[in-house]
Amino acid sequence: MPLAAQATLTVCSFRSIYRRQFFGYSSPMTFDDMKSDGKRIQDETIVVYTDGGCHGNPGPGGWGCVVIADGDARELSGGEAQTTNNRMELTAAISALTAIYNTERFKDRLVMLYSDSQYVKNGITSWIHSWKKNGWKTSQKKPVLNQELWQKLDALNSALNVSWNWVKGHAGVQWNERCDQLCQEEIAKFE
C-alpha cells in the first residue's frame, strides 16, 4: 500500500485510523488536516513529539503526537481497546511521519523527532539494520515483535530526512507532556 493511503483525514479514534491505514481507504492525512493548537513557532525545521502508552501492558492504549511546522503546532491522537505500550509508541511516530510525508511542501525538510521511547529511537536508528539483514529476526533468532509497524516506520524514515532524538518522559518538556496528555485522553475512552 502506498504511504499516501496510510492515514486519515481528521483527528479521530484509532478504530477509524486503523480501518483506513490497514484496509486501504484512500483519504490521506496531511499536516493541514491536523488539529491546530493555535501556538506559533518560526523555523523551517519540522519538530515532532510523540508518545504512546497503555494502562496494563497489554491493556487499553493511546498515542499522541504534536507536529510543529511553518509556525504552527498540530495534534493527532488515537487509541485501541487492547494493545501494548510499544505498539502505541510506534503508532504515534508512524502517524506523525505519515502526515508529514503526505504534505508535499514538507518532503525535503529536516524532521527533528523527539520520543520518550528508547524502544522506538534505538529500534529505528540501530536495531532495524540487523533485523532486516537477519530476515526480521532478533539476535536470539526470534521474530521481531510489531514487524508490520517497524516496516511502516522504516519506509517513512527512508522517505524523509528524520533526526531521531530521545527525550526524558514526565520531565516537564512542554510538547512531550502534551503528547502524554493526548495519550491519556485516548486511553480513558476505553476504560
Side-chain angles (χ1 to χ4, degrees), residues 88-152:
M88 294 294 90
E89 294 280 7
L90 286 164
T91 300
I94 290 166
S95 298
L97 293 177
T98 298
I100 292 166
Y101 179 85
N102 290 333
T103 305
E104 189 64 35
R105 70 184 183 275
F106 292 166
K107 285 193 179 178
D108 294 323
R109 293 199 199 170
L110 173 63
V111 177
M112 299 290 292
L113 191 142
Y114 295 88
S115 173
D116 62 9
S117 170
Q118 291 281 5
Y119 173 72
V120 171
K121 182 193 177 286
N122 292 336
I124 197 66
T125 61
S126 179
W127 306 334
I128 199 163
H129 307 294
S130 295
W131 294 339
K132 289 164 54 174
K133 185 174 124 186
N134 296 328
W136 290 97
K137 302 278 188 212
T138 66
S139 59
Q140 292 81 34
K141 308 295 185 216
K142 295 181 180 178
V144 172
L145 296 177
N146 305 311
Q147 178 181 337
E148 76 286 1
L149 295 176
W150 282 114
Q151 288 172 327
K152 287 181 181 189

Side-chain angles (χ1 to χ4, degrees), residues 158-174:
S158 296
L160 298 167
N161 180 15
V162 184
S163 173
W164 294 87
N165 303 277
W166 180 78
V167 61
K168 184 174 181 171
H170 310 286
V173 177
Q174 176 189 1

